[in-house]
Amino acid sequence: QVQLVESGGGLVQAGGSLRLSCAASGRAAGYYAMGWFRQAPGKEREFVARVVRSGGSTYYADSVKGRFTISRDNAKKTLYLQMNSLKPEDTAVYYCAAAQTGSPYYMSRSWDYWGQGTQVTVSS
């Protein structure tokens, strides 16, 4: 069992940056793969990024490659998403997720635990 709480969302101009954080509690952080999804109004929740338990390998949606960086600090039980060169189409509620066996990772149904979400709004 793990509980997840996102923070760091807000309003930013196009081209700007934000860093999202996800604080985990419960089971040791290194037990889970972790990732980020996002959901815009009227759209399905979509995969953004994933990091393996050790933090050694990362995976990204094509839409964010080269702009977003996912990382984790297992000692601090915290997951991060550094977002650079933000675009208006990045506007969405961003959700932190954790999974014991999250495969296929790009499907939301593969993930076991979810945070409450944090709003990111990018203005033009």
Side-chain angles (χ1 to χ4, degrees):
Q1 183 70 34
V2 64
Q3 297 78 45
L4 307 172
V5 180
E6 304 95 333
S7 63
L11 175 64
V12 65
Q13 296 276 6
S17 299
L18 284 174
R19 189 179 75 162
L20 306 184
S21 298
C22 173
S25 62
R27 192 77 180 253
Y31 185 77
Y32 301 99
M34 298 189 74
W36 293 94
F37 282 71
R38 66 186 183 186
Q39 187 167 24
K43 295 186 177 181
E44 296 182 344
R45 190 169 298 185
E46 66 174 351
F47 168 75
V48 175
R50 189 197 78 155
V51 61
V52 298
R53 295 177 181 179
S54 68
S57 296
T58 58
Y59 307 85
Y60 298 93
D62 288 342
S63 60
V64 305
K65 284 181 179 177
R67 300 189 298 119
F68 291 10
T69 302
I70 188 172
S71 61
R72 65 192 298 167
D73 186 333
N74 288 340
K76 295 182 178 180
K77 294 185 176 182
T78 304
L79 176 74
Y80 302 98
L81 184 68
Q82 178 66 47
M83 305 185 295
N84 298 326
S85 301
L86 283 162
K87 305 174 181 179
E89 51 263 45
D90 294 319
T91 295
V93 176
Y94 283 71
Y95 296 90
C96 175
Q100 295 175 273
T101 55
S103 181
Y105 62 84
Y106 51 86
M107 298 291 292
S108 61
R109 62 178 175 81
S110 300
W111 296 80
D112 303 311
Y113 305 100
W114 296 87
Q116 83 289 346
T118 186
Q119 178 71 48
V120 172
T121 302
V122 184
S123 65
S124 60

